[in-house]
Amino acid sequence: MPNIFEIRLTTTDGSDAICLLKDQNSGEFFCPVCGVRRTFAPYSEGIVGSQDICLCCDFQYGCDEKPGRTCQESWEEWRNYWLETEHHANWCYEQLGNIGIDLSPPPKK
């Protein structure tokens, strides 16, 4: 069972704050958009993006955030886009549980 804890980061001017989730047992972080496990933090102190692209949802940390919006707003917008444009299996929705998001897959047509 993962032992999850939060790492809080804020911008230098205090205009935004985020929580990154990390599995204390494995040392892995979770993508804040899709919940996939990552071997390194997507952001560092001051909310500086790693410029890495998530291999699951294609979000690029430090580039895909929208100006004038919080990181959380940008993540939610990207997540909705990702879920609407891709045909995802149930594992995608289960993976979101890693970051505390409980969504059900759309009904099969």
Side-chain angles (χ1 to χ4, degrees):
M1 178 104 187
N3 182 10
I4 306 300
F5 71 98
E6 292 183 351
I7 299 173
R8 294 193 58 76
L9 300 174
T10 58
T11 54
T12 53
D13 65 3
S15 64
D16 197 4
I18 62 172
C19 283
L20 297 180
L21 299 179
K22 184 175 183 179
D23 184 334
Q24 198 166 22
N25 296 333
S26 69
E28 294 173 309
F29 289 85
F30 296 93
C31 173
V33 176
C34 69
V36 72
R37 288 178 173 269
R38 309 177 39 80
T39 56
F40 54 90
Y43 295 90
S44 60
E45 195 59 50
I47 311 182
V48 176
S50 66
Q51 303 301 314
D52 184 46
I53 298 172
C54 178
L55 296 176
C56 185
C57 69
D58 293 329
F59 190 84
Q60 186 172 12
Y61 312 105
C63 287
D64 287 327
E65 297 82 357
K66 303 281 185 188
R69 304 192 68 191
T70 65
C71 286
Q72 288 87 345
E73 291 169 335
S74 293
W75 298 338
E76 184 175 345
E77 182 179 322
W78 193 274
R79 184 182 307 115
N80 291 335
Y81 168 78
W82 174 64
L83 289 171
E84 289 171 3
T85 59
E86 299 292 329
H87 299 287
H88 295 291
N90 287 343
W91 65 264
C92 292
Y93 292 90
E94 292 168 10
Q95 178 178 288
L96 287 169
N98 290 338
I99 55 174
I101 297 172
D102 184 19
L103 292 177
S104 297
K108 293 182 180 180
K109 295 180 181 182

